[in-house]
Amino acid sequence: MKTIKHIKELQEHLSFARKTGKSIGLIPTMGALHEGHLSLIKAAARDNDFLVVTIFVNPTQFNNKEDLKRYPRNFDSDLTILSDYPVDIVFTPSEAEMYPSEEKRQFDLSPIDTVMEGKFRSGHFAGVAEIVSKLFEISTPDNAYFGLKDFQQLAIIRKMAKILNMNFNIIGCPIIREKNGLAMSSRNQLLTGEQQAAAPLIYKTLLKSKELKNSLSLSEISAFVKEQIDRHPLMQLEYFEIVDDVSLMPVTSWESPANKIGCIAVQLDEIRLIDNIYFD
Ligand code: PAF
Protein backbone atom coordinates (compact mmCIF):
# COMPACT_ATOMS: atom_id res chain seq x y z
CA MET A 1 0.00 0.00 0.00
CA LYS A 2 1.38 3.35 -1.07
CA THR A 3 0.37 6.73 0.33
CA ILE A 4 0.31 9.42 -2.36
CA LYS A 5 -0.30 13.16 -1.98
CA HIS A 6 0.01 14.37 -5.56
CA ILE A 7 -2.38 13.94 -8.48
CA LYS A 8 0.41 13.45 -11.00
CA GLU A 9 1.94 10.56 -9.05
CA LEU A 10 -1.48 8.96 -8.53
CA GLN A 11 -2.17 9.16 -12.25
CA GLU A 12 1.18 7.56 -13.11
CA HIS A 13 0.32 4.57 -10.91
CA LEU A 14 -3.19 4.34 -12.32
CA SER A 15 -2.00 4.50 -15.87
CA PHE A 16 0.47 1.66 -15.19
CA ALA A 17 -2.28 -0.40 -13.52
CA ARG A 18 -4.56 0.16 -16.52
CA LYS A 19 -1.82 -0.76 -19.00
CA THR A 20 -1.39 -4.06 -17.19
CA GLY A 21 -5.11 -4.74 -17.61
CA LYS A 22 -6.20 -4.00 -14.06
CA SER A 23 -9.65 -2.71 -13.22
CA ILE A 24 -9.73 0.21 -10.80
CA GLY A 25 -12.01 0.63 -7.80
CA LEU A 26 -12.28 4.04 -6.11
CA ILE A 27 -13.43 4.53 -2.51
CA PRO A 28 -13.66 8.25 -1.66
CA THR A 29 -13.67 9.01 2.09
CA MET A 30 -13.04 11.80 4.54
CA GLY A 31 -11.15 9.42 6.82
CA ALA A 32 -12.03 8.55 10.45
CA LEU A 33 -12.63 5.12 9.02
CA HIS A 34 -15.17 2.70 10.48
CA GLU A 35 -16.80 -0.61 9.49
CA GLY A 36 -19.00 1.22 6.98
CA HIS A 37 -15.94 2.34 5.01
CA LEU A 38 -14.41 -1.12 5.34
CA SER A 39 -17.53 -2.66 3.80
CA LEU A 40 -16.99 -0.39 0.77
CA ILE A 41 -13.39 -1.55 0.52
CA LYS A 42 -14.46 -5.21 0.78
CA ALA A 43 -17.04 -4.70 -1.99
CA ALA A 44 -14.43 -2.92 -4.13
CA ALA A 45 -11.92 -5.72 -3.53
CA ARG A 46 -14.43 -8.26 -4.87
CA ASP A 47 -15.00 -6.30 -8.09
CA ASN A 48 -11.62 -4.75 -8.94
CA ASP A 49 -7.92 -5.57 -9.29
CA PHE A 50 -6.56 -2.25 -8.04
CA LEU A 51 -8.01 -0.18 -5.18
CA VAL A 52 -7.62 3.52 -4.45
CA VAL A 53 -8.95 4.89 -1.16
CA THR A 54 -8.99 8.66 -0.91
CA ILE A 55 -8.84 10.50 2.41
CA PHE A 56 -9.65 14.19 2.14
CA VAL A 57 -11.72 16.24 4.55
CA ASN A 58 -13.30 18.41 1.91
CA PRO A 59 -13.79 21.96 3.20
CA THR A 60 -16.22 23.02 0.46
CA GLN A 61 -18.93 20.62 1.62
CA PHE A 62 -19.08 21.97 5.17
CA ASN A 63 -21.67 24.70 5.46
CA ASN A 64 -20.61 25.24 9.07
CA LYS A 65 -17.02 26.14 9.99
CA GLU A 66 -17.31 24.61 13.46
CA ASP A 67 -18.46 21.32 11.94
CA LEU A 68 -15.35 21.31 9.71
CA LYS A 69 -13.11 22.07 12.69
CA ARG A 70 -14.51 19.29 14.82
CA TYR A 71 -14.76 16.65 12.06
CA PRO A 72 -12.69 13.68 13.36
CA ARG A 73 -9.26 13.26 11.82
CA ASN A 74 -7.51 9.95 12.63
CA PHE A 75 -5.02 9.83 9.82
CA ASP A 76 -2.42 7.52 11.41
CA SER A 77 -4.93 5.01 12.69
CA ASP A 78 -6.73 5.14 9.30
CA LEU A 79 -3.49 4.07 7.61
CA THR A 80 -3.02 1.26 10.13
CA ILE A 81 -6.57 0.03 9.49
CA LEU A 82 -6.12 0.22 5.72
CA SER A 83 -2.88 -1.74 5.81
CA ASP A 84 -4.95 -4.86 6.68
CA TYR A 85 -6.93 -4.54 3.43
CA PRO A 86 -5.96 -5.07 -0.21
CA VAL A 87 -5.66 -1.33 -0.84
CA ASP A 88 -3.05 -0.34 -3.43
CA ILE A 89 -3.08 3.42 -2.99
CA VAL A 90 -4.24 5.80 -0.28
CA PHE A 91 -4.58 9.22 -1.89
CA THR A 92 -4.29 12.00 0.71
CA PRO A 93 -4.10 15.28 -1.19
CA SER A 94 -3.73 18.72 0.40
CA GLU A 95 -6.36 21.40 -0.02
CA ALA A 96 -4.05 23.25 -2.47
CA GLU A 97 -3.72 20.09 -4.56
CA MET A 98 -7.48 19.64 -4.90
CA TYR A 99 -8.36 23.34 -5.15
CA PRO A 100 -5.52 25.02 -7.04
CA SER A 101 -7.71 27.99 -7.96
CA GLU A 102 -10.49 29.98 -6.29
CA GLU A 103 -12.85 29.19 -9.14
CA LYS A 104 -15.80 27.05 -8.25
CA ARG A 105 -17.07 24.22 -10.36
CA GLN A 106 -20.85 24.11 -10.26
CA PHE A 107 -23.50 21.67 -11.41
CA ASP A 108 -27.23 22.09 -11.82
CA LEU A 109 -28.33 19.50 -9.29
CA SER A 110 -31.88 20.72 -8.83
CA PRO A 111 -34.33 19.65 -7.66
CA ILE A 112 -32.63 16.87 -5.68
CA ASP A 113 -30.28 19.27 -3.91
CA THR A 114 -33.18 21.36 -2.63
CA VAL A 115 -34.95 18.74 -0.49
CA MET A 116 -34.06 17.15 2.88
CA GLU A 117 -30.31 17.73 3.50
CA GLY A 118 -30.41 20.47 0.86
CA LYS A 119 -32.86 22.50 2.96
CA PHE A 120 -30.64 22.39 6.04
CA ARG A 121 -27.09 22.34 4.66
CA SER A 122 -26.88 25.09 2.12
CA GLY A 123 -24.01 24.52 -0.34
CA HIS A 124 -23.22 21.06 1.05
CA PHE A 125 -24.08 19.11 -2.08
CA ALA A 126 -22.39 21.66 -4.35
CA GLY A 127 -19.18 20.91 -2.40
CA VAL A 128 -19.71 17.14 -2.56
CA ALA A 129 -20.34 17.25 -6.31
CA GLU A 130 -17.30 19.48 -6.80
CA ILE A 131 -14.84 17.24 -4.96
CA VAL A 132 -16.22 13.92 -6.19
CA SER A 133 -16.21 15.16 -9.80
CA LYS A 134 -12.51 16.00 -9.38
CA LEU A 135 -11.73 12.62 -7.82
CA PHE A 136 -13.61 10.90 -10.66
CA GLU A 137 -11.79 12.88 -13.34
CA ILE A 138 -8.40 12.34 -11.74
CA SER A 139 -8.80 8.59 -11.27
CA THR A 140 -11.31 7.54 -13.98
CA PRO A 141 -12.17 4.36 -12.08
CA ASP A 142 -14.13 1.38 -13.38
CA ASN A 143 -16.21 1.35 -10.22
CA ALA A 144 -16.72 3.85 -7.39
CA TYR A 145 -18.23 2.98 -4.01
CA PHE A 146 -20.40 5.00 -1.60
CA GLY A 147 -22.48 4.15 1.45
CA LEU A 148 -26.28 4.17 1.28
CA LYS A 149 -26.50 5.94 4.64
CA ASP A 150 -25.86 9.11 2.64
CA PHE A 151 -28.68 8.22 0.30
CA GLN A 152 -29.24 11.72 -1.05
CA GLN A 153 -25.48 12.20 -1.55
CA LEU A 154 -25.43 9.11 -3.75
CA ALA A 155 -28.29 10.50 -5.88
CA ILE A 156 -26.37 13.79 -6.22
CA ILE A 157 -23.19 11.98 -7.27
CA ARG A 158 -25.06 9.92 -9.86
CA LYS A 159 -26.60 13.10 -11.27
CA MET A 160 -23.24 14.89 -11.42
CA ALA A 161 -21.66 11.89 -13.18
CA LYS A 162 -24.51 11.86 -15.71
CA ILE A 163 -24.03 15.58 -16.42
CA LEU A 164 -20.33 14.85 -17.11
CA ASN A 165 -21.15 11.80 -19.28
CA MET A 166 -19.20 9.58 -16.92
CA ASN A 167 -20.47 6.10 -17.46
CA PHE A 168 -18.52 3.90 -15.06
CA ASN A 169 -20.35 2.14 -12.23
CA ILE A 170 -21.34 4.06 -9.13
CA ILE A 171 -22.16 1.48 -6.51
CA GLY A 172 -24.23 2.08 -3.38
CA CYS A 173 -23.38 -0.26 -0.49
CA PRO A 174 -25.74 -1.18 2.38
CA ILE A 175 -25.72 0.74 5.65
CA ILE A 176 -23.54 -0.90 8.30
CA ARG A 177 -24.92 -0.63 11.83
CA GLU A 178 -23.65 -0.97 15.36
CA LYS A 179 -25.17 -3.91 17.31
CA ASN A 180 -27.64 -1.43 18.81
CA GLY A 181 -28.82 -0.39 15.32
CA LEU A 182 -27.07 2.97 15.12
CA ALA A 183 -25.89 3.59 11.54
CA MET A 184 -22.10 3.79 11.47
CA SER A 185 -20.76 7.27 10.84
CA SER A 186 -17.50 9.08 11.49
CA ARG A 187 -19.54 11.60 13.44
CA ASN A 188 -20.54 8.93 15.99
CA GLN A 189 -17.07 9.40 17.50
CA LEU A 190 -18.08 12.91 18.51
CA LEU A 191 -21.05 11.76 20.61
CA THR A 192 -20.81 11.99 24.39
CA GLY A 193 -21.60 8.86 26.43
CA GLU A 194 -25.16 10.05 27.03
CA GLN A 195 -25.67 10.85 23.36
CA GLN A 196 -24.29 7.45 22.36
CA ALA A 197 -26.83 5.81 24.63
CA ALA A 198 -29.62 7.91 23.11
CA ALA A 199 -28.71 7.66 19.41
CA PRO A 200 -29.99 4.09 18.74
CA LEU A 201 -33.51 5.53 19.18
CA ILE A 202 -33.18 6.89 15.64
CA TYR A 203 -33.10 3.48 13.95
CA LYS A 204 -35.55 2.00 16.47
CA THR A 205 -38.01 4.72 15.49
CA LEU A 206 -37.45 4.07 11.78
CA LEU A 207 -38.10 0.34 12.29
CA LYS A 208 -41.24 1.05 14.31
CA SER A 209 -42.51 3.49 11.69
CA LYS A 210 -42.10 0.81 9.04
CA GLU A 211 -44.07 -1.64 11.20
CA LEU A 212 -46.87 0.94 11.47
CA LYS A 213 -47.05 1.42 7.71
CA ASN A 214 -50.22 -0.64 7.31
CA SER A 215 -52.11 1.10 10.08
CA LEU A 216 -51.12 4.76 9.73
CA SER A 217 -51.26 7.35 6.96
CA LEU A 218 -48.06 8.98 5.68
CA SER A 219 -48.68 12.10 7.74
CA GLU A 220 -49.48 10.05 10.85
CA ILE A 221 -46.17 8.18 10.43
CA SER A 222 -44.32 11.50 10.18
CA ALA A 223 -46.07 12.77 13.30
CA PHE A 224 -45.19 9.51 15.10
CA VAL A 225 -41.49 9.86 14.20
CA LYS A 226 -41.42 13.49 15.30
CA GLU A 227 -43.07 12.67 18.59
CA GLN A 228 -40.69 9.75 19.33
CA ILE A 229 -37.55 11.76 18.62
CA ASP A 230 -38.54 15.13 20.05
CA ARG A 231 -39.72 13.70 23.33
CA HIS A 232 -36.17 12.54 24.04
CA PRO A 233 -34.46 15.35 25.97
CA LEU A 234 -31.17 15.02 24.01
CA MET A 235 -32.65 14.89 20.53
CA GLN A 236 -34.37 17.13 18.10
CA LEU A 237 -35.81 16.03 14.78
CA GLU A 238 -34.55 18.11 11.87
CA TYR A 239 -36.62 16.31 9.25
CA PHE A 240 -38.24 13.00 8.48
CA GLU A 241 -39.52 12.52 4.96
CA ILE A 242 -40.79 9.54 3.03
CA VAL A 243 -39.64 10.07 -0.54
CA ASP A 244 -39.53 8.37 -3.93
CA ASP A 245 -36.06 6.79 -4.06
CA VAL A 246 -35.45 8.03 -7.61
CA SER A 247 -36.87 11.57 -7.68
CA LEU A 248 -36.34 12.15 -3.93
CA MET A 249 -39.64 14.01 -3.92
CA PRO A 250 -42.09 13.34 -1.05
CA VAL A 251 -44.47 10.45 -1.63
CA THR A 252 -48.07 11.57 -1.25
CA SER A 253 -49.82 8.21 -0.88
CA TRP A 254 -48.97 4.66 0.15
CA GLU A 255 -50.51 3.56 -3.16
CA SER A 256 -47.83 5.38 -5.16
CA PRO A 257 -45.81 2.88 -7.24
CA ALA A 258 -42.53 4.57 -6.19
CA ASN A 259 -40.02 2.75 -3.99
CA LYS A 260 -40.44 4.60 -0.73
CA ILE A 261 -37.59 5.47 1.56
CA GLY A 262 -37.90 7.25 4.90
CA CYS A 263 -34.99 9.64 5.47
CA ILE A 264 -34.26 11.22 8.82
CA ALA A 265 -31.87 13.81 10.28
CA VAL A 266 -31.59 14.29 14.03
CA GLN A 267 -29.68 16.87 15.97
CA LEU A 268 -28.01 15.81 19.23
CA ASP A 269 -26.73 19.11 20.51
CA GLU A 270 -24.03 20.07 17.95
CA ILE A 271 -23.92 16.66 16.27
CA ARG A 272 -26.19 15.82 13.40
CA LEU A 273 -26.93 12.21 12.47
CA ILE A 274 -28.76 10.91 9.42
CA ASP A 275 -30.27 7.51 8.61
CA ASN A 276 -32.87 5.96 6.33
CA ILE A 277 -35.07 2.92 5.83
CA TYR A 278 -36.93 1.46 2.85
CA PHE A 279 -40.68 1.14 3.41
CA ASP A 280 -41.24 -1.47 0.64
O1 PAF B 1 -19.31 10.67 2.21
C1 PAF B 1 -18.21 11.24 2.36
O2 PAF B 1 -17.36 10.81 3.15
C2 PAF B 1 -17.89 12.49 1.56
O3 PAF B 1 -19.03 13.26 1.38
C3 PAF B 1 -17.22 12.18 0.22
C4 PAF B 1 -18.12 11.38 -0.71
C5 PAF B 1 -15.93 11.42 0.45
C6 PAF B 1 -16.87 13.50 -0.50
O4 PAF B 1 -16.03 14.30 0.26
Side-chain angles (χ1 to χ4, degrees), residues 28-30 37 56 58 61 71 128 131-132 146 150 153 157:
T29 83
M30 297 206 297
H37 297 111
F56 179 64
N58 173 37
Q61 72 188 74
Y71 197 83
V128 170
I131 191 65
V132 177
F146 298 90
D150 297 296
Q153 166 172 282
I157 290 169

Side-chain angles (χ1 to χ4, degrees), residues 28-30 34 36-37 40 61 71 116-117 121 124-125 128 145-158 171-177 183-187 239 248 261 263-264 272-276:
T29 83
M30 297 206 297
H34 51 69
H37 297 111
L40 306 183
Q61 72 188 74
Y71 197 83
M116 301 192 289
E117 293 295 287
R121 301 184 73 191
H124 166 64
F125 286 130
V128 170
Y145 297 80
F146 298 90
L148 280 165
K149 180 177 74 67
D150 297 296
F151 183 79
Q152 190 174 3
Q153 166 172 282
L154 184 59
I156 293 280
I157 290 169
R158 288 192 200 283
I171 296 162
C173 298
I175 300 177
I176 304 295
R177 299 183 179 281
M184 290 211 184
S185 162
S186 302
R187 289 177 201 276
Y239 66 78
L248 268 58
I261 182 166
C263 299
I264 191 168
R272 199 170 166 279
L273 300 180
I274 61 172
D275 201 347
N276 60 67

Side-chain angles (χ1 to χ4, degrees), residues 84-264:
D84 284 339
Y85 288 81
V87 172
D88 295 280
I89 291 179
V90 188
F91 180 52
T92 61
S94 66
E95 211 174 308
E97 185 79 6
M98 293 313 295
Y99 295 108
S101 96
E102 294 278 290
E103 267 166 69
K104 289 231 163 282
R105 156 187 286 209
Q106 288 196 328
F107 298 94
D108 178 2
L109 302 165
S110 67
I112 56 171
D113 63 342
T114 60
V115 294
M116 301 192 289
E117 293 295 287
K119 277 192 216 154
F120 292 89
R121 301 184 73 191
S122 157
H124 166 64
F125 286 130
V128 170
E130 187 174 27
I131 191 65
V132 177
S133 69
K134 287 176 182 240
L135 294 171
F136 281 179
E137 277 177 2
I138 290 164
S139 56
T140 58
D142 295 281
N143 302 293
Y145 297 80
F146 298 90
L148 280 165
K149 180 177 74 67
D150 297 296
F151 183 79
Q152 190 174 3
Q153 166 172 282
L154 184 59
I156 293 280
I157 290 169
R158 288 192 200 283
K159 180 155 186 166
M160 169 277 290
K162 199 165 172 194
I163 292 171
L164 293 177
N165 295 320
M166 289 172 166
N167 52 15
F168 50 81
N169 301 310
I170 296 174
I171 296 162
C173 298
I175 300 177
I176 304 295
R177 299 183 179 281
E178 305 282 356
K179 279 204 189 80
N180 61 21
L182 178 64
M184 290 211 184
S185 162
S186 302
R187 289 177 201 276
N188 294 354
Q189 294 180 23
L190 301 173
L191 298 170
T192 63
E194 270 190 313
Q195 290 169 334
Q196 272 172 30
L201 178 65
I202 300 170
Y203 186 53
K204 249 188 228 153
T205 304
L206 289 181
L207 283 174
K208 188 78 194 152
S209 67
K210 184 171 172 170
E211 261 174 54
L212 291 171
K213 178 186 152 188
N214 294 326
S215 45
L216 296 183
S217 68
L218 281 159
S219 61
E220 285 167 339
I221 295 267
S222 295
F224 167 78
V225 169
K226 184 165 173 48
E227 198 262 328
Q228 292 295 305
I229 299 294
D230 283 350
R231 79 174 183 196
H232 194 291
L234 298 181
M235 293 197 189
Q236 203 184 358
L237 184 75
E238 201 164 72
Y239 66 78
F240 169 73
E241 291 199 28
I242 300 175
V243 299
D244 174 326
D245 76 340
V246 176
S247 71
L248 268 58
M249 293 300 129
V251 172
T252 48
S253 124
W254 286 126
E255 280 67 52
S256 150
N259 289 325
K260 301 166 199 68
I261 182 166
C263 299
I264 191 168

